[in-house]
Amino acid sequence: MDSGLLDRELIAGLRARGQRVTLPRLLVHRHVRGAQRHVTAEQVYAELADELPSLSPATVYSTLDLLDELGLVRRMNTPRGAIMYDSRVDDHHHVICRQCGRMQDVDVAIDTRAAERAARSAGFEVAHAQLTLNGLCPDCAT
Amino acid sequence: MDSGLLDRELIAGLRARGQRVTLPRLLVHRHVRGAQRHVTAEQVYAELADELPSLSPATVYSTLDLLDELGLVRRMNTPRGAIMYDSRVDDHHHVICRQCGRMQDVDVAIDTRAAERAARSAGFEVAHAQLTLNGLCPDCAT
DNA sequence: CTGGATGCAAACTCTTTGCATGCAT
DNA sequence: ATGCATGCAAAGAGTTTGCATCCAG
């Protein structure tokens, strides 16, 4: 996906909510969605330092939350406590190394309907289901 | 489960690793496993303040991690970033309210074998699979 | 113009670490 | 007696907040 297309998605989302299109928003969005990987806010901040030296951590955090609200990115947690942002919004799952924190996609369909049904009958509105496998990555398994 | 039984499980686990049985360990363990709910380290610390005023946060954290290692409790994350400890170690899943952070068990069996297989063939050692449903609790759904 | 977005810095929360003391074994 | 566990305090990481300035619409 080239940045033209990405930009247009962001702009459409912002317009729909009457919010402004700004350079930090464009850059953060391109960086996360272009990267095809799982990033922390701190990584985004560090990696955009060259491109936009005036960028501040606070802006990165608020922009990432905004992208999550717009549904362009998904905010999630690693078992080690760090917040990560996933450039994929479609249903997929993750393995996480409990030692080094490495996270990887698991592209396998899992039937979670029974769990969703149970949660709904307990009165919850369920937005999405996410399976997390905990373990050791190839490197840490030694 | 009465605290006599709980204590014995803890003591057995500690002995097996040549570690000491101490009052903070007994109290933290009883508190988490007796509570039948999901607690943060801070909650445990605050709630045990009366019973053992000399208890320190550092000890609560290290004790909870120890209990996790012993398999008596499970350390986990909420999507909002807080680390919580679950008194249940058997396979079960969770719904979490993305607004207030409330977490509730979902006692439904989910077939996660396909995902585990995929992770293993990617070189991971998988310890356990955990499904997390994100949404709004009955109260926050208004 | 005007208010929403930014940048800066400081505050905050949660968690970990270092070290001297104390206690289980 | 021995050294693991504790408590204290301070540091640390990651994230949020307050406020003046700036700029997109």
Side-chain angles (χ1 to χ4, degrees):
Chain A
M1 203 183 285
D2 74 291
S3 33
L5 261 177
L6 282 177
D7 287 358
R8 261 170 275 151
E9 276 192 60
L10 171 62
I11 293 168
L14 289 171
R15 288 271 154 74
R17 300 175 25 139
Q19 293 189 279
R20 295 180 184 166
V21 178
T22 64
L23 185 56
R25 286 175 178 175
L26 284 168
L27 292 183
V28 169
H29 180 244
R30 275 182 209 154
H31 194 78
V32 178
R33 296 240 282 153
Q36 303 280 16
R37 63 202 172 95
H38 310 95
V39 290
T40 64
E42 295 196 312
Q43 279 170 7
V44 174
Y45 174 61
E47 290 161 8
L48 286 177
D50 293 338
E51 212 167 335
L52 185 66
S54 69
L55 185 67
S56 71
T59 301
V60 173
Y61 282 101
S62 75
T63 301
L64 288 171
D65 286 345
L66 174 64
L67 296 181
D68 178 63
E69 283 171 31
L70 291 175
L72 298 174
V73 135
R74 185 168 293 171
R75 181 183 173 141
M76 54 181 307
N77 283 77
T78 69
R80 299 181 53 254
I83 296 173
M84 298 198 105
Y85 292 85
D86 192 339
S87 56
R88 289 181 53 186
V89 187
D90 62 310
D91 264 340
H92 67 286
H93 307 289
H94 296 104
V95 218
I96 295 175
C97 176
R98 67 154 160 274
Q99 195 152 319
C100 70
R102 175 171 154 194
M103 180 190 294
Q104 197 168 304
D105 287 343
V106 176
D107 272 302
V108 166
I110 294 294
D111 184 359
T112 61
R113 286 171 299 178
E116 291 178 42
R117 219 177 300 125
R120 290 210 181 84
S121 66
F124 280 77
E125 276 180 20
V126 179
H128 53 83
Q130 158 75 56
L131 185 72
T132 305
L133 304 176
N134 270 269
L136 293 172
C137 73
D139 295 344
C140 294
T142 50
Chain B
M1 201 183 286
D2 74 293
S3 36
L5 262 176
L6 282 178
D7 287 358
R8 260 171 276 152
E9 277 192 59
L10 171 62
I11 293 169
L14 289 171
R15 288 270 155 72
R17 299 174 25 139
Q19 293 189 278
R20 294 179 185 168
V21 178
T22 65
L23 185 55
R25 285 176 178 174
L26 284 168
L27 292 183
V28 169
H29 179 245
R30 277 182 208 154
H31 193 78
V32 177
R33 296 238 285 152
Q36 303 278 17
R37 63 201 171 94
H38 309 94
V39 291
T40 64
E42 293 195 312
Q43 278 170 7
V44 174
Y45 174 62
E47 290 160 9
L48 285 177
D50 293 337
E51 212 167 336
L52 186 64
S54 69
L55 185 66
S56 71
T59 302
V60 173
Y61 282 101
S62 76
T63 302
L64 288 171
D65 286 345
L66 174 63
L67 296 181
D68 177 65
E69 283 171 32
L70 292 175
L72 299 173
V73 136
R74 185 169 293 170
R75 181 183 173 140
M76 53 179 309
N77 282 77
T78 69
R80 301 179 53 252
I83 296 172
M84 298 197 105
Y85 293 86
D86 192 338
S87 55
R88 289 179 54 185
V89 187
D90 62 312
D91 264 340
H92 68 287
H93 307 289
H94 296 104
V95 217
I96 295 175
C97 176
R98 67 153 160 275
Q99 193 151 322
C100 70
R102 177 172 152 193
M103 181 190 293
Q104 197 169 306
D105 287 344
V106 175
D107 272 302
V108 166
I110 294 293
D111 184 359
T112 61
R113 285 172 300 179
E116 291 177 43
R117 220 176 300 124
R120 289 210 182 84
S121 66
F124 280 78
E125 278 180 18
V126 179
H128 53 84
Q130 159 75 56
L131 185 72
T132 304
L133 304 177
N134 271 268
L136 292 172
C137 72
D139 294 345
C140 293
T142 51

